[in-house]
Each structure stands twice: as C-alpha cells, then as structure tokens.
C-alpha cells in the first residue's frame, strides 16, 4: 500500500466521558508492554519488516495516547517509524488530555519528534467538565498550554464541544473567548451528538437532559465562525479553524481520499479503492494478533455512485470545495442565491450557513448526478 499517512489508535482512557462512543479500553494502569508488543506484531503481520517509503503524517489518536507515558510513546514511535519512516517535514500529532501535559511531558514529546499536540479541552467550565465526566479541570488547560509553549510547540490545537443540552448551564461565548485567549494555532469545534451506549443517551431517555434545539445549534456554530474568523482563524473545514498554515495535514488526507494506514484496535485503512477496519475492541484486536490472525475484521469497496457521493461530501465539507461543472452548476447557482455557497474561479464552496445544511446539499447534488 502506497500510503503517506499513518494513524495509530491508542485505546486507553481513565474513564469514559459521558458522550463518548469511541473504541476505548478503560484501564487504571495502561498495559504499555502488551500494547506495544501487539502493535509491533500487527505491523509485521500486515506489512512485513521491510522499510517503506517516507510518510508525511503520523497521528497518535485515541483513546488517550498521552497516557502511554514517555517510554511507551517513544517505543510506539520507534516501531512505527522503523516500517513507515517519516519525511523530514512530517507532521507527527499526539492527542492529549490536558492533565497529561506537564513541562517534562511536553519536552519529552519534542525530543521524540512530535510536532503537533491536539488537546481535548471541550469546555473551560469546571461544572460542565464534571458533567462530561472529563478528568481535567479548566486550570489544567492553562497549565498545559504554558507547558506546550515553553517546550517550543507552535503547532497545537484544542477541541471544544458546542450545542450542549440546555439543562447544562454553559456559556459558549465564554468558552470561545477563553480558547482564543490561549492563542492555539488550531481550534476544532464539534456539535454534541447523542450516541448509542453512552451515559448521555441514558440521561436523555430518562428525560434528565434534552438535545439542544436546532436554532441554538445553528446560533452556536455561527457564533464560533464569527468570533474565530474575526480573531485570525480561517474556517477551513466544517469543524476546523486554523491560523496561518496550521491546518491539520493528517485529517486533510482523509478529506482528500488518499491512501492511509490504520494501526491498533478499530483503526481504518484505505488503499485508494478499499477501506478496511481492525477489530474494534482492544482485547479482540490483541487476541487475534497473538494467535497470528489478521486484526482486520472487515472491508468495503465503494461502487461508482458511492465514490461520487463521498467525493461530493468530502469536497464540500472543506474549503477545497468542488469544481463547478455542467452537472452541478444549477445547484451552485441556487445555493449562491440563498447565501449557502460561493463560486470563485470555477470552484464552488459552501459558506458557514451552507455547512449547516451539508448533508441535504450533498443529497441534492448526488441526486442530480444519479439521474
Ligand atoms: S478522553 Fe476522549 S476517547 Fe477517552 S472517553 Fe473521553 S472522549 Fe472518549
């Protein structure tokens, strides 16, 4: 597989956040040796030992990769780089929880060649963080930002969640303002969704919380766009904002549909035609590997129509947009009249109000194409 992008899933978390349905393994103590050994075997089983071509991005996601500790982290990076050597200017990202970022950690990450840190902040309100079952408080976000700066990280990002239930008393403006005050190079804003098998779904079923009304979802999405754009951030993807050239290169590879390799439980890989995914649960993934079985448990190849829909969706969700053609020109004209799109130099892009309608606009477009 000629992939230039490698994702490594590190599934361990101290506990499950109230809204989270990711493939995680809740562990008080992270089984670093077991995990690293299984990862090493996965690479050998699936890709052999021969050193491949240089890769442009390596992304350690989770779960909470920062819980691996400096030695575990170094071992993971060493074995990934032995098979997937990184280009000189590669982006190497680690997802981290704020409480895991001490000055020593930040320095260790720099020494290990990590170039980018993505902090799971979500809110600066301690009551909200408790409601989310997060393991940090707001003061630890400020300390983490200081530690990253002192270690020389210019490229770091923070995540926020908007559209919380109205029962959760939260000021979105305050959270945005506090995020901007820390001046990260990149900010991601995700709307809360209620997923199966989460405490949040149980709370909703019991009537303890209710989804944010559509009007508030839209208002908070547009407020983020307004505040962040007016303070130097470019809204370059429906959920992502960057200053200067600090766009997330790894995630952009997914949006461009280029090949990538995924390692670890639940990780997805794509070779340009087929998407494959590993066993989701940590124990199942590791057990397969220990008995010499391929950890990949599923695969799909998209037909022509599905590829067209995916290309339309991925193009429209970012500022890359889509080339305007005879097939879609009518749609872009209509959307432009409503303020949902702009067309510049033959490329159609959605505006923030267009992004709020992303799914239905993609459906319009692909419906026309298939006629
Ligand atoms: S830290 Fe992240 S991955 Fe872990 S439970 Fe919370 S949201 Fe999920």
């Amino acid at each position: 597989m000629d992939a230039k992008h490698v994702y490594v899933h590190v599934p361990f978390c101290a506990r499950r956040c109230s809204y989270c349905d990711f493939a995680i393994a809740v562990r008080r103590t992270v089984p670093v040796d077991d995990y690293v050994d299984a990862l090493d075997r996965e690479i050998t089983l699936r890709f052999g030992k021969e050193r491949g071509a240089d890769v442009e991005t390596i992304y350690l996601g989770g779960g909470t990769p920062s819980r691996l500790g400096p030695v575990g982290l170094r071992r993971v990076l060493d074995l990934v780089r032995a098979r997937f050597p990184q280009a000189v200017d590669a982006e190497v990202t680690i997802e981290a929880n704020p409480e895991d970022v001490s000055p020593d950690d930040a320095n260790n990450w720099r020494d290990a060649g990590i170039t980018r840190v993505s902090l799971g902040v979500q809110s600066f309100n301690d009551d909200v963080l408790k409601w989310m079952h997060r393991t940090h408080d707001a003061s630890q976000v400020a300390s983490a930002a200081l530690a990253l700066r002192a270690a020389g990280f210019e490229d770091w990002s923070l995540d926020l969640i908007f559209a919380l239930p109205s029962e959760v008393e939260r000021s979105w403006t305050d959270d945005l303002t506090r995020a901007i005050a820390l001046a990260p190079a990149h900010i991601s804003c995700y709307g809360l969704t209620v997923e199966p098998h989460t405490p949040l779904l149980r709370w909703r079923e019991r009537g303890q919380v209710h989804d944010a009304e559509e009007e508030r979802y839209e208002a908070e999405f547009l407020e983020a766009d307004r505040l962040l754009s007016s303070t130097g951030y470019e809204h370059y993807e429906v959920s992502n904002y960057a200053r200067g050239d600090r766009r997330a290169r790894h995630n952009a590879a997914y949006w461009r549909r280029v090949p990538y390799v995924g390692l670890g439980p639940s990780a997805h890989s794509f070779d340009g035609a087929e998407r494959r995914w590993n066993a989701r649960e940590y124990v199942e993934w590791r057990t397969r590997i220990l008995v010499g079985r391929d950890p990949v448990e599923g695969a799909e190849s998209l037909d022509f129509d599905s590829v067209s829909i995916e290309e339309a969706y991925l193009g429209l969700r970012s500022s890359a947009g889509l080339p305007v053609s005879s097939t879609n020109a009518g749609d872009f004209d209509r959307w432009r009249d409503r303020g949902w799109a702009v067309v510049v130099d033959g490329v159609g892009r959605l505006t923030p109000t267009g992004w709020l309608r992303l799914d239905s606009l993609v459906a319009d477009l692909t419906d026309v194409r298939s006629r």
Side-chain angles (χ1 to χ4, degrees):
M1 186 194 289
D2 188 19
K4 300 280 183 204
H5 308 277
V6 179
Y7 174 81
V8 184
H9 190 75
V10 186
F12 309 108
C13 289
R15 64 181 178 210
R16 190 177 281 278
C17 297
S18 58
Y19 52 86
C20 177
D21 76 334
F22 294 162
I24 66 161
V26 175
R27 297 285 186 279
R28 192 186 294 266
T29 307
V30 175
V32 175
D33 289 342
D34 290 351
Y35 172 76
V36 174
D37 177 56
L39 196 65
D40 194 8
R41 289 178 190 226
E42 178 183 0
I43 293 172
T44 308
L45 260 172
R46 293 179 58 200
F47 303 100
K49 285 276 185 205
E50 197 179 324
R51 199 175 159 87
D54 287 1
V55 299
E56 293 166 10
T57 68
I58 298 173
Y59 192 103
L60 306 181
T64 319
S66 51
R67 296 194 72 227
L68 278 175
V71 176
L73 193 62
R74 182 76 75 136
R75 288 173 63 198
V76 166
L77 284 171
D78 283 351
L79 64 90
V80 169
R81 287 168 176 150
R83 176 59 184 78
F84 303 99
Q86 69 180 65
V88 177
D89 63 345
E91 175 193 89
V92 184
T93 304
I94 183 171
E95 287 182 354
N97 280 345
E99 71 272 26
D100 294 334
V101 191
S102 69
D104 281 350
D105 289 308
N107 284 321
N108 281 326
W109 296 346
R110 288 294 290 179
D111 292 346
I114 287 171
T115 63
R116 183 170 186 273
V117 179
S118 175
L119 278 186
V121 171
Q122 320 312 353
S123 174
F124 291 85
N125 177 318
D126 285 341
D127 290 334
V128 173
L129 291 169
K130 273 189 205 126
W131 177 83
M132 290 177 170
H133 292 175
R134 299 293 305 189
T135 46
H136 67 276
D137 62 31
S139 69
Q140 288 169 312
V141 180
S143 309
L146 273 178
L148 292 176
R149 284 249 152 63
F153 280 102
E154 290 172 9
D155 197 359
W156 66 279
S157 177
L158 64 78
D159 291 357
L160 295 173
I161 298 180
F162 68 95
L164 301 184
S166 48
E167 290 82 0
V168 181
E169 291 182 11
R170 183 272 189 102
S171 164
W172 178 232
T173 310
D174 186 52
D175 274 342
L176 283 170
T177 308
R178 293 179 71 174
I180 292 165
L182 292 176
H186 188 279
I187 296 180
S188 301
C189 299
Y190 300 105
L192 183 72
T193 51
V194 182
E195 304 292 349
H197 314 299
T198 58
L200 181 56
L201 178 65
R202 286 197 298 281
W203 298 342
R204 186 174 74 177
E205 284 172 348
R206 285 187 213 134
Q208 291 169 308
V209 293
H210 298 84
D211 292 352
E213 323 74 63
E214 203 174 314
E215 294 74 21
R216 188 156 59 78
Y217 185 102
E218 294 194 8
E220 292 191 1
F221 179 85
L222 294 175
E223 182 178 10
D225 173 75
R226 202 170 48 249
L227 267 182
L228 293 170
S229 301
S230 68
T231 47
Y233 290 90
E234 181 197 5
H235 195 174
Y236 73 96
E237 195 268 347
V238 61
S239 305
N240 288 291
Y241 298 80
R243 274 192 171 147
D245 59 355
R246 300 298 189 185
R247 295 180 177 199
R249 288 166 56 194
H250 184 85
N251 290 343
Y254 300 146
W255 306 328
R256 295 200 320 273
R257 290 191 89 252
V258 298
Y260 51 85
V261 165
L263 303 168
S266 82
H268 283 53
S269 303
F270 180 57
D271 63 5
E274 187 180 58
R275 202 163 275 131
R276 297 174 202 179
W277 52 91
N278 282 356
R280 180 181 160 91
E281 300 306 328
Y282 169 64
V283 173
E284 165 72 6
W285 167 78
R286 183 165 172 265
T287 304
R288 279 175 173 249
I289 291 168
L290 290 185
V291 298
R293 274 179 74 198
D294 192 336
V296 173
E297 71 166 10
E300 69 173 359
S301 294
L302 299 184
D303 60 20
F304 180 79
D305 283 348
S306 305
V307 170
S308 295
I309 292 171
E310 194 170 274
E311 282 174 350
Y313 182 76
L314 294 175
L316 287 179
R317 68 180 285 166
S318 83
S319 57
L322 286 178
V324 176
S325 65
S326 54
T327 330
N328 63 27
D331 290 286
F332 276 112
D333 280 347
R334 217 174 38 256
W335 299 345
R336 188 169 45 187
D337 290 347
R338 294 175 188 177
W340 299 342
V342 291
V343 176
V344 178
D345 297 334
V347 177
R349 300 179 177 86
L350 296 188
T351 61
T353 48
W355 274 329
L356 282 167
R357 297 161 178 82
L358 177 61
D359 289 345
S360 68
L361 299 192
V362 171
D364 281 358
L365 204 61
T366 48
D367 184 42
V368 170
R369 277 187 188 185
S370 62
R371 263 184 246 142

